[in-house]
Amino acid sequence: MAANTLSILKPSVNNLTARIFVRAAGLDFDEVDGWGEKTTPDFLAKDPADLTPLLEEAGLPKGSLWESCAIMQYLCNKHGLTQFYPEDPAERAMVDSAMFYLIGTVYPLLARATYPTLGFPQYAGEVGTSEADDGLKAKAQQDAEAALAGPMDVYGTFFIGDKQFIGGDAPAIADIRFAASLEFLRAIDYDFPAWATEYLERMESTLGDAYTEPAADVRGYIDYVKSQHAEAVSAET
């Protein structure tokens, strides 16, 4: 039995983050597809938040841990993976800042821009879950997509700047979280700035199969969604 068990949902970029990391770090892990398992009593007993990715590992106080950034931070700290999560307090602070900015500011916009197209449920209180008409929901999706330009520029000019990655010459855990998230923007044919396209190419070429293999699941789902949309449009015409 592997030291780490990771329960995941393959179409999710939040799960993709942890899937890339454990492969890139060369950790011993078992990957369990959580499709159909979430919401069950057994799953909720170890994950009352009902979230994936879920790490199960004997060293954890309650045996389990969710949230992709927390999973990566924990595994880096436990195994001394300073190539992904630097020991220097200032350098680590920048990695943390890039991750927290993503989960607090960027991902909510990204979710509003992509989830309607991907067919994922949106968060309570959003326009997409309200009784607003389809026109207003479409406008909200377009507004979220447009609003991504500002935060994207923050990554390009501040967190990355003239470096190869947020982590400098090699990807840090913040790079894995950021790059994985950007994969969802392919669902809406987002107009990536040139630096972002080059950055994603560097991430994949640097991490190799550790990135490409799990990313193929997300990309496959996106291709399926887009093909279904194209068929629906064709049927209407």
Side-chain angles (χ1 to χ4, degrees), residues 120-139:
F120 289 179
Q122 296 183 72
Y123 301 108
E126 299 281 355
V127 174
T129 63
S130 73
E131 297 180 358
D133 60 37
D134 289 345
L136 189 56
K137 290 180 180 180
K139 178 66 162 53

Side-chain angles (χ1 to χ4, degrees), residues 93-206:
M94 294 302 293
V95 170
D96 289 339
S97 179
M99 290 195 300
F100 298 158
Y101 184 60
L102 189 143
I103 61 178
T105 299
V106 180
Y107 200 81
L109 292 174
L110 189 147
R112 294 176 192 130
T114 63
Y115 277 21
T117 299
L118 292 164
F120 289 179
Q122 296 183 72
Y123 301 108
E126 299 281 355
V127 174
T129 63
S130 73
E131 297 180 358
D133 60 37
D134 289 345
L136 189 56
K137 290 180 180 180
K139 178 66 162 53
Q141 183 179 5
Q142 293 162 5
D143 288 348
E145 179 180 347
L148 281 167
M152 286 286 286
D153 187 59
V154 171
Y155 279 91
T157 60
F158 183 77
F159 287 120
I160 299 172
D162 59 0
K163 300 177 298 181
Q164 295 289 299
F165 304 100
I166 296 167
D169 293 334
I173 55 176
D175 289 289
I176 295 174
R177 187 67 184 90
F178 181 51
S181 300
L182 294 184
E183 290 287 337
F184 263 178
L185 290 178
R186 301 181 194 274
I188 56 173
D189 295 325
Y190 187 76
D191 186 16
F192 284 101
W195 70 262
T197 299
E198 294 167 1
Y199 169 78
L200 285 171
E201 291 171 351
R202 282 198 303 275
M203 281 293 293
E204 187 160 9
S205 64
T206 299

Side-chain angles (χ1 to χ4, degrees), residues 9-22:
L9 295 177
K10 291 182 177 180
S12 164
V13 293
N14 299 318
N15 289 257
L16 176 60
T17 299
R19 298 182 72 201
I20 292 171
F21 173 74
V22 293

Side-chain angles (χ1 to χ4, degrees), residues 41-53:
D42 286 346
F43 190 84
L44 293 174
K46 56 192 175 186
D47 183 355
D50 199 23
L51 293 173
T52 57

